[in-house]
Amino acid sequence: IIVLFFIFRYLFGIKWAIFISLLVYFSRALEGYSLSLFNFLEHINAGDAEPIAIFFFMTSLLIFINFNKNKNINSYYLNFLFGFFIFLSISLRPNYFPTGFLLFFIFLIYNYFESRNKISLFFICLGFSFIFLIPLHNFLYGNSYTFFSYGSHHNTHAPVSIYISALNDLINFNISNSNNIDRILYQIMRWIKPDQIHYIITFIIIIFSLLKIDNLLIKIICLLALSQHAVLLVFEPEGRYAYLAWILTMIVFINFIISSIKFFKISLKGFK
């Protein structure tokens, strides 16, 4: 909650940060988007890795936002923690790797163009480099050459090969009898839940914000959300496995709502 509060404060201002944080802390209003303390406490009691993995990821995001808002900061310690926290997040939940690596890569590029300090880049990479301990551990203790875990196939419901086969079915007009297309459609139905239209609306707002909103931080969060949603189209798309994607989605949605309120207020003042 503390990490989220500071993210909200940097993005939306102190008043909105207090309001949203209280909503997350005391209610289940945003539970459908994984923004509820009650929800996280249930998973902590169950011993699930998602709460702590999301904490580390959001802390890295907060460090990035802090660098963006305070351009005079040049802390090697924070640079190291940024990379190290992403490593911890991925080590706890390997399905966060695409999104974690994207954030790591964006921060590298951003840090380079803002500071031109190669030592800063070194500490960012140093923190993230601990990720290579995972395959080393697998090799030493499991005699396995897998990077994360070869048990991931249990949660892989629509692998990339299925999408390639489905494309081939479309090209050959084999649509009605395609098990590949049916499997992908089932995955999509579990991911976006068409019967609950608010998920579709918030996802559309991610696309809109990425293309139209003139805010670098929001655009980056849009990219992070989309990358994690892409993971859900391959692996398990529901429950705790989808939490990070929908938390990032909700941050973008809240920004859209706040920006819309401010726009209408300005419009009303101009009308008067």
Side-chain angles (χ1 to χ4, degrees):
I1 291 297
I2 295 174
V3 173
L4 286 174
F5 169 79
F6 281 106
I7 289 176
F8 296 151
R9 192 193 73 173
Y10 278 122
L11 294 176
F12 313 131
I14 186 67
K15 292 182 180 179
W16 280 107
I18 293 173
F19 172 74
I20 301 168
S21 297
L22 290 175
L23 201 65
V24 172
Y25 192 86
F26 290 107
S27 79
R28 294 181 179 267
L30 302 177
E31 186 175 17
Y33 291 88
S34 314
L35 277 176
S36 169
L37 181 63
F38 297 97
N39 205 19
F40 274 83
L41 288 176
E42 289 173 358
H43 287 287
I44 291 172
N45 290 332
D48 295 326
E50 278 72 18
I52 188 66
I54 291 173
F55 166 77
F56 284 127
F57 181 89
M58 300 306 288
T59 303
S60 289
L61 179 60
L62 176 60
I63 292 173
F64 175 77
I65 293 172
N66 192 32
F67 269 81
N68 179 266
K69 294 292 185 179
N70 303 282
K71 298 185 184 297
N72 293 326
I73 292 179
N74 190 15
S75 170
Y76 299 147
Y77 176 67
L78 287 178
N79 287 326
F80 173 80
L81 285 182
F82 171 87
F84 186 68
F85 284 156
I86 291 181
F87 148 69
L88 289 177
S89 177
I90 295 171
S91 67
L92 290 163
R93 284 263 34 112
N95 57 313
Y96 293 173
F97 176 75
T99 308
F101 183 79
L102 178 60
L103 180 58
F104 163 74
F105 181 75
I106 289 172
F107 189 55
L108 273 182
I109 300 299
Y110 178 85
N111 198 289
Y112 174 75
F113 283 105
E114 285 294 327
S115 67
R116 301 283 180 172
N117 190 330
K118 294 181 180 179
I119 300 179
S120 295
L121 303 183
F122 168 77
F123 277 98
I124 296 170
C125 293
L126 179 64
F128 187 72
S129 67
F130 282 85
I131 198 168
F132 294 107
L133 291 176
I134 300 174
L136 179 63
H137 171 273
N138 293 336
F139 175 73
L140 293 178
Y141 295 99
N143 197 27
S144 169
Y145 291 98
T146 57
F147 197 93
F148 292 121
S149 170
Y150 55 82
S152 61
H153 66 275
H154 295 296
N155 289 326
T156 307
H157 303 300
V160 176
S161 59
I162 293 292
Y163 287 89
I164 296 173
S165 299
L167 178 61
N168 185 59
D169 290 338
L170 288 173
I171 293 173
N172 293 302
F173 298 101
N174 180 27
I175 299 175
S176 59
N177 297 318
S178 173
N179 291 327
N180 298 310
I181 294 176
D182 291 341
R183 190 167 171 181
I184 290 172
L185 288 175
Y186 179 69
Q187 183 79 0
I188 292 173
M189 295 296 181
R190 293 183 64 204
W191 160 60
I192 201 69
K193 299 177 178 61
D195 58 316
Q196 301 182 47
I197 194 170
H198 58 92
Y199 287 115
I200 298 176
I201 292 172
T202 52
F203 184 79
I204 291 173
I205 286 173
I206 294 177
I207 307 297
F208 173 83
S209 299
L210 179 62
L211 298 176
K212 296 295 184 180
I213 300 296
D214 188 22
N215 183 319
L216 177 63
L217 288 174
I218 295 300
K219 286 181 178 293
I220 289 172
I221 295 174
C222 288
L223 290 174
L224 296 174
L226 289 173
S227 69
Q228 194 60 32
H229 278 295
V231 172
L232 300 182
L233 292 175
V234 175
F235 298 99
E236 177 62 42
E238 293 182 300
R240 57 192 175 92
Y241 300 97
Y243 281 2
L244 180 60
W246 290 113
I247 288 174
L248 294 170
T249 299
M250 182 50 59
I251 291 175
V252 176
F253 178 73
I254 292 171
N255 177 77
F256 176 80
I257 295 298
I258 293 174
S259 299
S260 299
I261 292 173
K262 290 179 180 178
F263 174 78
F264 284 117
K265 283 184 177 180
I266 294 172
S267 300
L268 288 174
K269 286 182 180 178
F271 180 76
K272 291 178 181 179

